[in-house]
């Protein structure tokens, strides 16, 4: 019998997305084909402490199912590279750029990838100015206030007045020292999965998020039992093709590898598409849309995991 590959599945971590990470990691652990892989759970606590020192004799490959700062921003990826252990997903640079909404938009704009109008400012700029309106006056209500480096809809507010804006900025600053404020648009929310190497990636069929209110918040994503997506999305063929093409362009723009989920806003009246963000380690829970998009594209969840692990070994030359 061929010796099974030891897969260290990292979960938890000190970010605000600790619980989401645990859910995602459990789904990966449950779905790894046992005839091929030996799962090694590694649960990092909220203080960032590891239960054991990660070594090559402990694992052949690492699946860092970590979301948000510390796990999705290049920190863990850099650590794994210093250890010389193959790992699933994007590298240091792509992870860092995608995690920071300001750097991500700068990258997209440089590559002529459409994004919504937005502004950003630091905590110092916000605290020291006497005219908060001056920082956002190029935008119209409603606006979305977000911490620059956070995921899972944590720290986000939809605001329609200066009073709400100030409260939203205070909430965002609890998670980051940089805040981005985006122009709200009336649009459908569309997603697309990307899978593959630097120059050989493919895009899944698009899906559409089912938004119960003004936007899909943390509770709707992870605590509600209501359906959150329609996959595949019902879109005109041209729009679906544009979504897939823009997804691959966004992936290449950040230097992506392995996997990413690209989120869009689709203005149905104008036919305009905006790339909202790219996520380098999207959720892997049973409700997560990345795996469901690939299942609708003909790639079952266990096969998806196998493909990601194969890509990790291919990058390392193992």
């Amino acid at each position: 019998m061929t010796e099974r590959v030891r897969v260290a599945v990292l979960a938890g971590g000190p970010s605000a997305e600790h619980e989401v990470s645990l859910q995602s990691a459990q789904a990966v652990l449950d779905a790894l084909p046992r005839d091929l892989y030996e799962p090694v759970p590694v649960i990092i606590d909220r203080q960032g402490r590891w239960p054991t020192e990660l070594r090559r004799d402990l694992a052949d490959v690492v699946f860092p199912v970590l979301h948000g700062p510390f796990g999705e921003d290049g920190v863990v990826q850099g650590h794994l590279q210093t250890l010389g252990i193959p790992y699933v997903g994007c590298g240091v640079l792509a992870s860092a750029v995608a995690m920071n909404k300001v750097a991500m938009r700068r990258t997209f704009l440089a590559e002529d990838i459409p994004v919504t109008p937005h502004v950003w400012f630091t905590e110092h700029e916000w605290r020291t100015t006497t005219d908060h309106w001056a920082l956002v006056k190029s935008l119209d209500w409603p606006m979305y206030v977000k911490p620059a480096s956070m995921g899972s809809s944590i720290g986000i507010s939809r605001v329609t007045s200066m009073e709400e804006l100030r409260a939203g900025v205070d909430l965002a600053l609890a998670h980051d020292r940089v805040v981005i404020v985006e122009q709200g648009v009336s649009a459908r929310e569309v997603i697309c999965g990307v899978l593959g190497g630097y120059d050989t990636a493919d895009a899944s069929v698009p899906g559409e998020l089912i938004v119960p209110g003004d936007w899909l918040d943390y509770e709707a994503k992870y605590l509600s039992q209501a359906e959150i997506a329609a996959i595949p999305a019902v879109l005109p063929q041209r729009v679906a093709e544009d979504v897939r093409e823009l997804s691959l362009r966004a992936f290449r723009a950040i230097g992506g590898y392995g996997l990413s989920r690209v989120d869009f806003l689709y203005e149905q009246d104008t036919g305009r598409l905006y790339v909202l963000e790219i996520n380098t380690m999207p959720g892997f829970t049973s409700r997560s849309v990345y795996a469901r998009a690939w299942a609708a594209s003909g790639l079952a969840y266990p096969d998806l995991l196998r493909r990601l692990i194969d890509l990790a070994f291919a990058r390392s030359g193992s």
Side-chain angles (χ1 to χ4, degrees):
M1 179 179 176
T2 304
E3 187 174 348
R4 293 185 299 166
V5 174
R6 295 164 301 173
V7 182
V9 179
L10 305 189
S15 87
E17 298 179 71
H18 180 96
E19 291 298 332
V20 178
S21 171
L22 295 180
Q23 296 176 38
S24 291
Q26 190 59 58
V28 171
L29 289 165
D30 291 343
L32 280 172
R34 291 302 192 268
D35 59 327
L36 299 174
Y37 305 111
E38 177 187 344
V40 182
V42 179
I43 310 302
I44 303 167
D45 72 15
R46 293 183 182 276
Q47 286 69 49
R49 294 183 297 241
W50 297 58
T52 184
E53 180 184 352
L54 200 59
R55 305 181 307 274
R56 193 61 189 264
D57 61 353
L58 176 68
D60 301 306
V61 64
V62 174
F63 203 130
V65 194
L66 297 162
H67 307 309
F70 177 87
E72 199 176 347
D73 58 0
V75 172
V76 160
Q77 288 76 13
H79 177 58
L80 295 173
Q81 286 188 199
T82 64
L83 296 176
I85 305 177
Y87 62 91
V88 167
C90 289
V92 175
L93 178 61
S95 299
V97 170
M99 190 73 238
N100 186 286
K101 294 178 176 62
V102 175
M104 177 178 60
R105 278 164 178 72
R106 285 174 168 170
T107 301
F108 289 165
L109 288 171
E111 295 295 326
D112 200 28
I113 295 171
V115 298
T116 54
H118 62 279
V119 297
W120 66 273
F121 44 82
T122 65
E123 180 175 14
H124 176 76
E125 289 171 316
W126 178 259
R127 301 295 187 204
T128 57
T129 186
T130 58
D131 186 2
H132 287 152
W133 173 247
L135 295 176
V136 299
K137 64 182 181 181
S138 62
L139 307 177
D140 296 321
W141 310 110
M143 306 173 193
Y144 287 86
V145 184
K146 305 178 180 181
S149 296
M150 187 55 66
S152 294
S153 300
I154 293 172
I156 297 178
S157 302
R158 180 183 185 273
V159 301
T160 58
S161 67
M162 285 304 300
E163 181 180 3
E164 291 180 352
L165 175 71
R166 293 187 177 97
V169 171
D170 285 342
L171 175 62
L173 288 174
H175 298 282
D176 201 319
R177 59 173 292 276
V178 177
V179 172
I180 186 167
V181 183
E182 301 170 0
Q183 177 67 66
V185 297
S186 178
R188 296 164 63 183
E189 296 192 25
V190 176
I191 65 93
C192 186
V194 180
L195 173 68
Y198 294 116
D199 302 307
T200 58
D202 295 314
S204 73
V205 299
E208 180 174 3
L209 299 181
I210 298 172
V211 183
D214 293 315
W215 55 292
L216 199 62
D217 59 14
Y218 182 92
E219 181 176 353
K221 284 182 177 178
Y222 301 109
L223 303 181
S224 171
Q225 295 303 308
E227 179 56 78
I228 62 171
I231 301 172
V234 179
L235 297 169
Q237 182 177 353
R238 178 196 61 80
V239 174
E241 291 172 352
D242 287 347
V243 165
R244 297 179 76 245
E245 190 265 338
L246 278 171
S247 295
L248 294 174
R249 285 178 55 194
F251 190 70
R252 288 193 296 268
I254 66 166
Y257 186 91
L259 76 157
S260 287
R261 190 195 73 229
V262 186
D263 298 349
F264 292 84
L265 295 175
Y266 168 48
E267 281 187 332
Q268 190 164 291
D269 292 343
T270 64
R272 187 174 296 143
L273 280 168
Y274 300 101
V275 177
L276 185 61
E277 62 183 15
I278 183 169
N279 300 272
T280 55
M281 185 52 69
F284 270 85
T285 68
S286 59
R287 287 162 53 83
S288 297
V289 294
Y290 179 81
R292 291 173 58 190
W294 278 109
S297 304
L299 190 64
Y301 192 34
D303 296 325
L304 172 62
L305 299 180
R306 182 175 180 176
R307 174 71 174 134
L308 289 169
I309 292 169
D310 288 346
L311 284 164
F313 282 123
R315 176 174 51 191
S316 70
S318 301

